[in-house]
Amino acid sequence: MKNYTISKQLIKNTKNFLDIKYYSIIDRLLGKSGVFYGWGRKKSGIKAIELSKKDNSSFLLLEDGFIRSMGLGVDKSPTFSIVEDDIGIYYDATTSSKLENILNNYDFKSDENLISEAKKAIALIKTHHISKYNNAIDIKEDYFDDENEKRVLIIAQTAGDSSLKYGMLDDFTTEDMIKDALLENIDSGIYLKVHPDVLSGKKSSDIDIKSLDKRVKVITENLNPISLLKKFDKVYTKTSGMGMEALIVGCKCVCYGMPYYAGWGITIDKSKCKRGKRVLSVEEVFAGAYILYTKYYNPYKNRVSDIFDTINEILLQKKKTIDSKNNILVIGDSHVAPFKSKIFKYILKYNFIINYVPGATARGIGNNNSLTRSHKIFQESLDKYNYDKIIISLGEVDTAYSIWKIHETKNTDIEVILEQSIKKYIDYLHYLTSYAQVIVLSAPYATVKDNTKCDDTISGIRASVNASQKQRIEIGIKFNQKIKEFCNKQKDIKFVDFNNIVLDKNSMLKDIFLKKYNPCDHHYCKVKYSLLILYIFIKKKIL
């Protein structure tokens, strides 16, 4: 059964999570049936319910998860999570929802592992200040003049927020909430937090800041909610998700509407909902909402995720520099050393960050425990910055030595070992695309000619196998051809082919690229290889 929606934007926003087809006029005329998807109580959500009733099929309503992204949703920051609901949607308290049913019926007492995971996740959120959006700075320790002051926070929301419309606010107004906060907390400082979408200028607030009582101090900075809430004893909210974060850090929470976390005995509720059947702990409500109800995906690694991987990825992204423009990471074996020359930065106008591992192989790149530790070493660079592009070159060690050594010692077919190296390399190239666009340099070919006596460690090792220079080059050509075929089918990978320049008509390496003063050196002549790379990069407009 196919998944349909009337919203092309929904398809785009959920492509990492779901495979949904646009429900066209033709589909309607043909009476095609399926599961209809929509976004909460937006037009697409309402239409999904209507179509499912007409078609006698089913619907699923979607919304952002509670840990959404690094930046704001209105700024198109890639999302980590969504929720799916086949009953209602969590912020609509006027009717039941899948989350409400989970909180009413799930056997939290028996699922010790789930509660243990919830406690671990809560601890990480509190320690590392993980919120729905994660682009705001932490509050400074000396932000408040009186560190011993008791503080109460009023949480403002955006005008037109769907949770306000469907949050069962009864007759309570914003003025009622502010008035109560002032009357009920005479000995406390009263503060109001403006929503980040309002601070960004993308939306308007549900509170008229200009008409506020003078006793209310407005926080207009875009501060991390968890770090901010740690400075408060109590919060007042209508239906904000920040109320749940307040409960996570240990604040008292007064609710004027019925957000999903209200009605379970952990909040002070001004409104009432009779559908709540039992008392739950903060950990149980958190487990139901953040773990059981939410689906996670890591947009930076292009993989299905969970709450812990999401938190780890947010921490990783926070460590990186904000601006990736003009940063290019260069990784591979020692053949990428020419990029250390300042001429590359001067001519190509990029900042090249080079991290190479002598002896690194395509076959071993996916192995965390390889002898060279290349995977771990490269990962350190990947985790340190954001990059505009990644340049990589591997395969020379494989085709000139390791493939032949395995063939001779284990009597394994050459083609089988070659395919293993290619597969490992392709898997790693796929992985790199989750960080940036990838540029693959064709692997250099064997330079050491037959019968050359070499005593140095590296070239001596290469001479320890029986394959001739021609055999090594031939298998190198096969390696590069396979990698080239793969790269040419990918959107985010470019392959830079040096074959036509470095090989002669007999498919042997041209002498011009050899180091005549050291016939045992397995590298190309550094100056000529550097000029070759620059020539190809400029001519083909690689960058």
Side-chain angles (χ1 to χ4, degrees):
M1 185 174 285
K2 288 188 176 181
N3 301 327
Y4 291 107
T5 182
I6 65 161
S7 171
K8 292 181 179 179
Q9 188 63 43
L10 182 145
I11 294 172
K12 182 180 178 180
N13 291 344
T14 63
K15 62 182 180 180
N16 290 336
F17 299 89
L18 299 160
D19 181 17
I20 305 176
K21 182 181 181 296
Y22 180 67
Y23 197 60
S24 65
I25 295 175
I26 295 175
D27 292 325
R28 299 180 199 191
L29 291 174
L30 293 175
K32 290 192 176 181
S33 179
V35 179
F36 294 96
Y37 283 76
W39 198 259
R41 295 303 185 206
K42 301 288 186 182
K43 178 182 176 181
S44 62
I46 295 169
K47 193 65 178 178
I49 296 172
E50 289 178 1
L51 289 170
S52 69
K53 289 179 179 178
K54 183 179 179 181
D55 192 52
N56 196 27
S57 59
S58 57
F59 69 87
L60 276 169
L61 301 183
L62 308 175
E63 260 294 345
D64 288 326
F66 307 107
I67 302 176
R68 188 204 181 274
S69 51
M70 294 301 300
L72 299 178
V74 291
D75 290 333
K76 310 301 182 185
S77 184
T79 183
F80 284 108
S81 64
I82 61 171
V83 301
E84 295 178 332
D85 204 311
D86 58 353
I87 299 171
I89 197 67
Y90 73 87
Y91 58 75
D92 185 353
T94 64
T95 187
S96 59
S97 68
K98 180 179 176 181
L99 176 55
E100 184 181 277
N101 287 356
I102 290 171
L103 297 177
N104 260 325
N105 302 308
Y106 193 82
D107 189 359
F108 292 107
K109 303 301 180 187
S110 297
D111 198 341
E112 295 180 1
N113 182 62
L114 174 65
I115 299 305
S116 176
E117 286 191 339
K119 289 178 178 178
K120 288 178 184 177
I122 287 172
L124 289 170
I125 286 171
K126 291 168 67 175
T127 300
H128 300 294
H129 301 166
I130 306 298
S131 187
K132 183 172 184 177
Y133 307 114
N134 294 278
N135 61 332
I137 60 172
D138 286 348
I139 191 171
K140 293 181 180 180
E141 286 301 316
D142 60 352
Y143 183 87
F144 296 104
D145 295 332
D146 184 1
E147 189 59 35
N148 296 317
E149 175 190 40
K150 290 178 65 178
R151 285 180 285 273
V152 170
L153 183 65
I154 300 167
I155 303 171
Q157 293 173 243
T158 58
D161 187 330
S162 293
S163 71
L164 296 177
K165 181 177 180 180
Y166 298 100
M168 289 182 64
L169 284 161
D170 294 334
D171 294 326
F172 293 113
T173 64
T174 299
E175 289 71 25
D176 291 332
M177 182 170 66
I178 296 171
K179 181 181 177 182
D180 288 349
L182 289 166
L183 290 174
E184 295 169 6
N185 303 278
I186 298 174
D187 59 342
S188 300
I190 310 298
Y191 296 80
L192 182 137
K193 171 72 169 65
V194 179
H195 193 280
D197 284 350
V198 175
L199 296 176
S200 71
K202 301 293 176 69
K203 293 184 179 181
S204 57
S205 180
D206 67 320
I207 293 175
D208 182 5
I209 297 173
K210 294 179 181 179
S211 65
L212 279 176
D213 189 293
K214 293 181 180 180
R215 289 172 291 174
V216 179
K217 303 165 190 174
V218 180
I219 298 173
T220 57
E221 296 95 328
N222 186 16
L223 299 173
N224 177 277
I226 302 296
S227 72
L228 176 66
L229 288 165
K230 285 182 175 181
K231 299 288 186 180
F232 286 84
D233 304 291
K234 191 176 183 181
V235 301
Y236 283 72
T237 182
K238 288 186 274 189
T239 57
S240 172
M242 196 172 163
M244 182 64 197
E245 294 177 325
L247 294 169
I248 286 172
V249 301
C251 293
K252 291 181 180 178
C253 181
V254 183
C255 295
Y256 282 74
M258 290 301 298
Y260 73 90
Y261 52 85
W264 309 104
I266 55 176
T267 53
I268 302 168
D269 301 326
K270 298 290 186 174
S271 298
K272 301 296 179 183
C273 178
K274 296 179 180 180
R275 293 192 307 273
K277 299 176 182 177
R278 58 180 177 171
V279 173
L280 298 173
S281 66
V282 171
E283 291 80 9
E284 288 169 336
V285 173
F286 178 92
Y290 282 67
I291 300 178
L292 297 179
Y293 187 56
T294 305
K295 178 184 282 189
Y296 292 93
Y297 187 89
N298 188 325
Y300 298 91
K301 298 293 189 298
N302 291 330
R303 67 189 182 206
V304 175
S305 183
D306 60 25
I307 191 168
F308 297 105
D309 179 54
T310 296
I311 291 171
N312 288 336
E313 188 62 41
I314 290 171
L315 296 179
L316 176 62
Q317 292 298 320
K318 280 186 172 184
K319 288 179 182 178
K320 294 184 176 184
T321 54
I322 296 172
D323 189 1
S324 65
K325 188 177 181 182
N326 293 334
N327 272 354
I328 293 183
L329 174 64
V330 183
I331 57 177
D333 55 27
S334 55
H335 293 278
V336 301
F339 282 93
K340 295 175 72 174
S341 171
K342 292 182 180 179
I343 192 172
F344 281 91
K345 182 176 182 179
Y346 178 76
I347 293 177
L348 299 177
K349 308 300 182 184
Y350 279 89
N351 179 36
F352 292 91
I353 300 167
I354 298 93
N355 187 358
Y356 66 85
V357 177
T361 65
R363 180 183 177 84
I365 190 59
N367 181 5
N368 282 320
N369 299 312
S370 66
L371 291 175
T372 62
R373 297 182 64 253
S374 57
H375 189 283
K376 290 183 178 179
I377 293 169
F378 295 159
Q379 191 63 45
E380 289 173 1
S381 292
L382 290 169
D383 291 348
K384 193 172 184 179
Y385 301 101
N386 285 317
Y387 300 98
D388 188 64
K389 293 175 177 64
I390 298 170
I391 295 173
I392 183 170
S393 179
L394 288 173
E396 187 277 334
V397 180
D398 300 73
T399 57
Y401 168 69
S402 66
I403 286 176
W404 302 99
K405 191 67 175 178
I406 296 169
H407 167 66
E408 292 177 5
T409 57
K410 297 185 177 180
N411 195 30
T412 307
D413 184 83
I414 286 287
E415 296 295 331
V416 172
I417 308 167
L418 174 63
E419 286 301 319
Q420 290 172 347
S421 292
I422 291 169
K423 184 181 184 306
K424 293 290 185 182
Y425 199 18
I426 285 175
D427 288 345
Y428 192 64
L429 295 177
H430 262 309
Y431 175 69
L432 290 180
T433 58
S434 64
Y435 286 88
Q437 183 187 47
V438 178
I439 298 167
V440 183
L441 306 187
S442 59
Y445 296 113
T447 61
V448 182
K449 294 187 176 183
D450 299 344
N451 302 317
T452 303
K453 293 183 179 180
C454 302
D455 296 325
D456 64 283
T457 303
I458 300 298
S459 296
I461 287 175
R462 280 168 171 73
S464 69
V465 295
N466 296 319
S468 66
Q469 184 190 23
K470 184 172 182 60
Q471 286 177 307
R472 300 178 204 224
I473 290 176
E474 285 176 346
I475 201 168
I477 292 172
K478 286 184 179 180
F479 178 91
N480 280 329
Q481 184 58 35
K482 290 282 188 179
I483 299 300
K484 180 180 179 179
E485 290 172 1
F486 161 75
C487 293
N488 287 345
K489 296 176 183 177
Q490 309 305 309
K491 181 176 66 174
D492 297 324
I493 305 179
K494 288 184 179 180
F495 185 83
V496 182
D497 191 351
F498 298 130
N499 275 13
N500 292 336
I501 298 178
V502 302
L503 296 177
D504 62 21
K505 62 182 180 181
N506 297 315
S507 295
M508 290 295 289
L509 189 65
K510 293 177 181 177
D511 286 346
I512 191 174
F513 290 102
L514 302 179
K515 291 184 176 180
K516 295 180 180 179
Y517 62 88
N518 183 5
C520 286
D521 197 319
H522 64 284
H523 299 97
Y524 290 169
C525 172
K526 185 176 180 180
V527 173
K528 292 172 183 175
Y529 188 40
S530 297
L531 291 174
L532 172 61
I533 295 172
L534 284 169
Y535 170 72
I536 295 294
F537 272 44
I538 294 170
K539 183 179 180 181
K540 301 290 186 180
K541 297 181 180 179
I542 301 299
L543 298 179

